[in-house]
Amino acid sequence: MLFIISLTYFNSSHSSHSKNQSFQLCRERRPKPEFLRERENREMEGKEEDVKLGANKFSERQPIGTSAQTDKDYKEPPPAPLFEPGELKSWSFWRAGIAEFIATFLFLYITVLTVMGVSRSPSKCTTVGIQGIAWAFGGSIFALVYCTAGISGGHINPAVTFGLFLARKLSLTRAVFYIVMQTLGAIAGAGVVKGFQKNQYELRGGGANVVNHGYTKGDGLGAEIVGTFVLVYTVFSATDAKRNARDSHVPILAPLPIGFAVFLVHLATIPITGTGINPARSLGAAIIYNKDHAWNDHWIFWVGPFIGAALAALYHQIVIRAIPFKTRD
């Protein structure tokens, strides 16, 4: 009797094990959905490409507090054409230019008024001081980039536009249009400030950029190059397509590091040049102020920012992202 019960238990256990094994085989033989196979292939191609470039020779360390260092898919946007005549027929093109005009107008209005408030006070202890000026520039860029990023990209600076153009992020048509609108907005913003307080505006320098006493033209040029490099490099890093794909919070927070970079650069270079790093801002204030000493060193505030922007674009695209060395589908 005991033998029969043992045999029955063995047969039932063996049958159950066989069913489980058969079920497991069926699961293993079931083909994967097409979209999963395509995703795995894309991931493998990306990893192989990075290995060829030496990018993933050593495993990346996950930054503390960042939960998004995953292998999410990202697609490098195609380079913008040099000329895109069809843009001129699009309302989004003109709307973007208007957004750049208004943003640069507000930028000059806020910042030049802040500079005037500090310079007219007999005691710096009763004003916001250099730190307050830096916060006015950095905070206004943070707010205005946040407001206009979805419309025009939130450049508000010909040097930023120039750097993005070199990286093929926008066409020549759009780049020229943006720079024109930024310059007009800067002139209008400085003009409104002068309208509020004409005598004080002319007496206190109108917020125009000049190389301060004790510094040479070379010092001013170097400060503008390095300062603009910091800004444009931050713009590239904050708007990088690969980071946007991996870190879902990056597009939302992009204006914050850009504004903070402007703040830091102003803290460092206000004593040297008053901090340009924005040719439209420098030109707008110089035109409305229109005194000889505002034009003597004005070339520095175009040459310096454009060199800094070009260096930042080359560094990010070639060294950091290795874009020229990657193959395109």
Side-chain angles (χ1 to χ4, degrees):
M1 184 67 179
L2 183 61
F3 173 75
I4 294 173
I5 292 173
S6 302
L7 184 61
T8 305
Y9 175 77
F10 173 78
N11 289 335
S12 63
S13 300
H14 181 71
S15 176
S16 175
H17 179 71
S18 300
K19 288 179 180 179
N20 291 336
Q21 198 171 29
S22 300
F23 178 72
Q24 186 69 23
L25 288 173
C26 290
R27 288 184 62 184
E28 291 176 357
R29 291 174 182 174
R30 184 182 300 170
K32 293 182 179 180
E34 184 68 22
F35 74 94
L36 284 179
R37 291 203 301 272
E38 291 179 357
R39 180 172 180 176
E40 290 178 356
N41 290 337
R42 287 198 303 270
E43 290 177 354
M44 290 301 297
E45 289 173 1
K47 289 178 180 177
E48 289 175 359
E49 184 176 352
D50 284 341
V51 168
K52 289 178 183 178
L53 296 171
N56 287 343
K57 185 176 181 181
F58 302 99
S59 60
E60 296 180 3
R61 292 181 179 179
Q62 182 166 338
I64 296 175
T66 301
S67 60
Q69 285 289 341
T70 59
D71 292 331
K72 290 183 180 178
D73 292 332
Y74 80 95
K75 185 176 182 181
E76 193 70 41
L82 187 61
F83 295 101
E84 196 167 358
E87 286 184 320
L88 301 177
K89 301 177 182 178
S90 171
W91 167 241
S92 63
F93 175 81
W94 300 102
R95 179 184 64 181
I98 295 170
E100 288 292 312
F101 173 88
I102 295 298
T104 315
F105 167 81
L106 294 175
F107 177 60
L108 265 289
Y109 172 77
I110 294 169
T111 55
V112 174
L113 265 181
T114 304
V115 172
M116 290 294 96
V118 172
S119 62
R120 71 180 297 179
S121 176
S123 173
K124 302 304 179 185
C125 296
T126 60
T127 67
V128 293
I130 288 179
Q131 293 85 354
I133 293 174
W135 274 120
F137 277 89
S140 58
I141 285 295
F142 167 57
L144 293 169
V145 169
Y146 179 82
C147 292
T148 59
I151 302 171
S152 64
H155 298 188
I156 322 174
N157 187 336
V160 172
T161 301
F162 180 67
L164 293 173
F165 165 70
L166 292 180
R168 304 289 301 277
K169 303 294 184 182
L170 71 164
S171 66
L172 178 62
T173 310
R174 187 174 290 263
V176 172
F177 181 49
Y178 277 14
I179 292 174
V180 170
M181 297 302 284
Q182 290 158 0
T183 303
L184 293 177
I187 296 170
V192 170
V193 175
K194 184 176 181 179
F196 285 166
Q197 44 185 1
K198 183 176 181 179
N199 293 334
Q200 288 293 327
Y201 187 89
E202 294 180 350
L203 182 63
R204 304 297 178 183
N209 289 118
V210 295
V211 178
N212 293 321
H213 295 294
Y215 296 96
T216 66
K217 287 180 171 59
D219 297 333
L221 182 62
E224 290 295 306
I225 291 173
V226 176
T228 311
F229 179 92
V230 172
L231 169 60
V232 178
Y233 177 45
T234 304
V235 170
F236 274 105
S237 298
T239 59
D240 186 272
K242 189 171 184 178
R243 292 192 64 199
N244 289 352
R246 288 183 171 181
D247 301 336
S248 59
H249 61 273
V250 166
I252 300 173
L253 297 179
L256 181 58
I258 295 171
F260 202 68
V262 172
F263 165 70
L264 293 175
V265 172
H266 275 76
L267 282 182
T269 59
I270 281 177
I272 304 174
T273 61
T275 309
I277 68 171
N278 185 331
R281 169 258 187 278
S282 301
L283 181 63
I287 287 177
I288 299 301
Y289 182 57
N290 198 27
K291 302 293 183 181
D292 288 341
H293 67 275
W295 294 109
N296 290 338
D297 304 325
H298 186 71
W299 63 272
I300 291 174
F301 303 100
W302 282 86
V303 175
F306 273 53
I307 292 176
L311 292 175
L314 291 173
Y315 175 68
H316 184 267
Q317 296 294 96
I318 296 177
V319 178
I320 301 300
R321 292 299 312 280
I323 298 295
F325 308 106
K326 291 187 177 181
T327 58
R328 295 188 180 274
D329 294 335

